[in-house]
């Protein structure tokens, strides 16, 4: 009986040792993802500073600074505290109004906060395919939500033409 108990005790120690080893690996993977998140966040901040420096501030739309830039091909919005909307050069004035409304709706629905949280989760759990699926679905849902909010005030046909022209 004593030999059986010693063997059982040895297996128990091996199992817990393996468990702690796997936990250490998991923590290492999560920390690696967090460091990559910080690096990418810093790189994006530098890119946005470069983009703002090379852009022309034109107006303020519903509390958002609007910039026109020749360095981008598609409209984008950014900012958690300071809201900024960037538009490419050469946008028709009617399209501009519609695009500004769409980008403003991202702020109105707090999509930038959700996007930040989603990005953090995706980076922390980069080894889990479900986190990447969550991120892709989140982007799609946010865009669809903005589209549905925008067509409440703008004709669907006009909005569709604007989307096709800006794509």
């Amino acid at each position: 009986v004593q030999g059986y108990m010693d063997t059982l005790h040895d297996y128990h120690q091996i199992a817990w040792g393996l468990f702690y080893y796997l936990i250490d690996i998991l923590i290492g993977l999560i920390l690696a993802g967090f460091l990559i998140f910080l690096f990418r966040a810093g790189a994006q901040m530098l890119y946005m500073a470069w983009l703002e420096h090379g852009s022309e501030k034109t107006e303020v739309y519903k509390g958002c600074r609007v910039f026109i830039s020749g360095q981008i091909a598609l409209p984008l919005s950014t900012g958690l505290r300071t809201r900024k909307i960037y538009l490419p050069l050469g946008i028709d004035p009617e399209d501009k109004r519609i695009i500004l409304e769409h980008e403003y709706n991202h702020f109105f629905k707090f999509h930038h906060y959700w996007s930040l949280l989603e990005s953090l989760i995706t980076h922390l759990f980069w080894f889990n395919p479900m986190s990447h699926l969550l991120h892709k679905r989140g982007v799609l849902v946010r865009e669809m939500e903005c589209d549905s909010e925008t067509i409440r005030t703008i004709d669907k046909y006009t909005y569709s033409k604007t989307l096709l022209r800006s794509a």
Side-chain angles (χ1 to χ4, degrees), residues 36-48:
I36 292 170
F37 172 78
L38 291 177
F39 175 76
R40 290 190 66 190
Q44 285 179 343
M45 288 173 64
L46 288 174
Y47 174 73
M48 295 314 296

Side-chain angles (χ1 to χ4, degrees), residues 32-93:
F34 184 68
L35 291 175
I36 292 170
F37 172 78
L38 291 177
F39 175 76
R40 290 190 66 190
Q44 285 179 343
M45 288 173 64
L46 288 174
Y47 174 73
M48 295 314 296
W50 171 78
L51 187 60
E52 185 175 337
H53 181 71
S55 301
E56 174 188 335
K57 182 179 176 194
T58 59
E59 62 185 281
V60 175
Y61 179 81
K62 295 184 180 182
C64 304
R65 294 185 197 167
V66 179
F67 296 90
I68 304 291
S69 175
Q71 301 164 340
I72 58 172
L74 296 172
L76 63 101
S77 57
T78 184
L80 297 175
R81 288 182 291 164
T82 306
R83 298 172 171 187
K84 299 173 187 174
I85 298 173
Y86 293 89
L87 302 174
L89 282 173
I91 289 184
D92 181 71

Side-chain angles (χ1 to χ4, degrees), residues 94-108:
E94 179 62 22
D95 289 349
K96 180 179 176 182
R97 181 183 68 83
I98 294 170
I99 290 169
L100 285 174
E101 186 64 29
H102 173 90
E103 295 300 329
Y104 171 75
N105 284 331
H106 282 294
F107 290 115
F108 181 71

Side-chain angles (χ1 to χ4, degrees), residues 37 40 114-124 135:
F37 172 78
R40 290 190 66 190
W114 285 108
S115 181
L116 178 66
L117 179 64
E118 216 169 69
S119 181
L120 179 63
I121 290 170
T122 303
H123 280 85
L124 290 178
H135 179 70

